């Protein structure tokens, strides 16, 4: 911890004003390390598809110049790489927008049930491609929170899309929306639980899943078109909503991701969210 003092003359007051400042250097250093890591990771993630694009451009200008079939195939691959970069940039922008609003509490009264229905419908095509069934179960009545509609849609979408992507072909994904009574000093919550029947996640990975760019299997994530930012976005949105993400998994038996957000009308004063840790 660094302790310092600054002196300033106060025209209207006799004697100097003394301002003490306390700074936790370890936490400042930790944040700086995280920032540097983040920039390095983001640059690396962008460089990889960019290098591939440049390689194909050179091939198209050189050896494959007159090969119509190769040109078609390479252009297809280039399109996929360009889309990957677009997704990554979109996710980076989403994260920074959410961080900018981190301390502005959301104000819309939002019923989570229709949002879950919207995501279950919109993921239908992806699910059908993989033979996955999406089931939505909602407890009767509206499940209201004070929130940001688009951000809550994003939470449900990221969790449900992961369940479809990683839950294994031919499986079942269940989205459950319900309420939880007050417990452990917490107000009543609205819970959005997304369950899959995939391979699950080994316990050592669970605490790190919401870190930016953390992936259990990077190759499989990239193959699925993942950016490694989905759960970091979920976590930041839930922080802004004074909510939390609870992940449970038994390897071999699937995973459950629970987003818990204070129910509308029951929320307390914003808790100190501290500095983002991922
Ligand atoms: P990605 O873009 O890689 O999907 P996420 O932040 O959404 O990034 O997820 C981080 C990692 O967590 C994924 O790469 C994957 O390894 C793991 N993961 C997320 N959801 C699931 C799930 N339902 N089952 C198994 N692993 C999952």
């Amino acid at each position: 911890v660094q302790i310092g003092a600054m002196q300033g003359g106060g025209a209207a007051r006799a004697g100097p004003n003394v301002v003490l400042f306390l700074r936790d250097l370890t936490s400042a250093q930790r944040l700086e390390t995280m920032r540097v890591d983040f920039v390095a990771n983001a640059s690396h993630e962008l460089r990889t598809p960019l290098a591939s694009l440049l390689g194909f451009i050179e091939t198209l200008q050189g050896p494959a110049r007159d090969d119509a079939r190769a040109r078609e195939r390479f252009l297809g691959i280039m399109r996929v790489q360009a889309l990957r970069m677009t997704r990554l940039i979109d996710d980076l922008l989403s994260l920074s927008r959410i961080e900018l609003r981190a301390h502005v509490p959301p104000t819309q009264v939002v019923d989570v049930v229709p949002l879950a229905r919207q995501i279950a419908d919109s993921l239908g095509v992806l699910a059908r491609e993989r033979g996955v069934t999406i089931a939505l179960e909602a407890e009767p009545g509206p499940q209201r929170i004070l929130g940001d509609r688009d951000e809550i849609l994003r939470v449900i979408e990221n969790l449900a899309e992961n369940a479809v992507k990683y839950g294994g072909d031919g499986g079942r994904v269940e989205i459950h929306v319900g309420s939880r009574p007050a417990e452990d000093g917490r107000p009543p919550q609205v819970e959005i639980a997304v369950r899959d029947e995939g391979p699950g996640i080994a316990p050592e990975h669970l605490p790190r899943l919401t870190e930016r760019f953390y992936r259990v299997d990077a190759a499989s994530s990239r193959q699925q078109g993942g950016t490694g930012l989905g759960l970091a976005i979920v976590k930041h949105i839930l922080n802004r909503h004074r909510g939390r993400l609870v992940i449970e998994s038994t390897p071999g038996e699937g995973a459950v991701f629970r987003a818990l957000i204070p129910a509308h009308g029951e929320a307390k004063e914003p808790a100190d969210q501290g500095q983002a840790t991922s």
Side-chain angles (χ1 to χ4, degrees):
V1 175
Q2 190 182 51
I3 303 176
M6 292 189 315
Q7 292 199 342
R13 296 163 88 189
N17 298 327
V18 176
V19 181
L20 266 181
F21 61 92
L22 295 168
R23 203 149 58 103
D24 182 344
L25 276 187
T26 17
S27 120
Q29 272 161 0
R30 202 166 53 86
L31 279 177
E32 181 57 13
T33 311
M34 271 167 41
R35 196 187 61 77
V36 171
D37 282 354
F38 175 58
V39 173
N41 282 332
S43 310
H44 174 75
E45 295 289 333
L46 282 168
R47 261 194 113 92
T48 313
L50 203 50
S52 152
L53 275 178
L54 282 173
F56 282 113
I57 289 171
E58 280 161 19
T59 313
L60 286 171
Q61 286 175 326
R65 183 191 294 266
D66 301 317
D67 183 341
R69 278 183 56 197
R71 202 168 50 228
E72 275 312 298
R73 199 163 65 82
F74 292 166
L75 284 172
I77 301 172
M78 290 166 76
R79 183 169 179 277
V80 170
Q81 300 292 6
L83 286 173
R84 183 171 152 198
M85 290 175 71
T86 309
R87 261 199 312 275
L88 181 57
I89 290 166
D90 286 348
D91 276 1
L92 287 169
L93 285 173
S94 294
L95 252 185
S96 71
R97 272 196 290 264
I98 296 158
E99 277 184 311
L100 270 180
R101 294 192 295 243
H103 297 289
V104 184
T107 51
Q108 299 168 327
V109 177
V110 178
D111 177 4
V112 176
V113 178
L115 305 190
R117 191 167 298 126
Q118 186 176 329
I119 296 300
D121 289 346
S122 68
L123 280 179
V125 175
L126 178 68
R128 269 193 297 281
E129 273 172 21
R130 292 159 188 245
V132 172
T133 317
I134 302 185
L136 171 66
E137 287 173 13
E139 287 174 15
Q143 302 292 335
R144 292 198 187 97
I145 59 163
L146 217 44
D148 178 306
R149 194 175 175 279
D150 291 339
E151 290 189 1
I152 297 303
L153 271 172
R154 191 71 196 270
V155 166
I156 309 171
E157 181 181 31
N158 285 4
L159 297 181
E161 196 176 309
N162 277 352
V164 173
K165 285 191 314 192
Y166 301 110
D169 289 358
R172 177 184 152 93
V173 167
E174 195 181 293
I175 306 173
H176 184 273
V177 183
S179 47
R180 280 231 196 146
E183 60 182 354
D184 300 334
R186 291 198 175 92
Q189 312 271 306
V190 168
E191 179 185 86
I192 306 154
V194 180
R195 185 186 302 273
D196 68 67
E197 298 173 337
I201 304 148
E204 66 269 25
H205 296 295
L206 294 181
R208 300 199 59 191
L209 286 187
T210 57
E211 287 176 23
R212 293 162 199 205
F213 298 117
Y214 188 86
R215 293 142 155 150
V216 176
D217 176 349
S220 135
S221 155
R222 290 205 182 90
Q223 196 209 340
Q224 303 274 8
T227 61
L229 294 174
L231 291 178
I233 290 173
V234 166
K235 182 185 131 171
H236 280 78
I237 292 175
L238 292 176
N239 279 351
R240 180 172 178 236
H241 285 74
R242 284 169 288 142
R244 65 205 162 101
L245 180 69
V246 177
I247 311 171
E248 295 154 17
S249 178
T250 309
E253 292 180 18
V256 190
F257 287 72
R258 295 177 200 280
L260 291 145
I261 303 167
H264 175 49
E266 309 285 350
K268 291 188 184 145
E269 284 302 298
D272 179 17
Q273 294 171 356
Q275 296 287 352
T277 52
S278 61

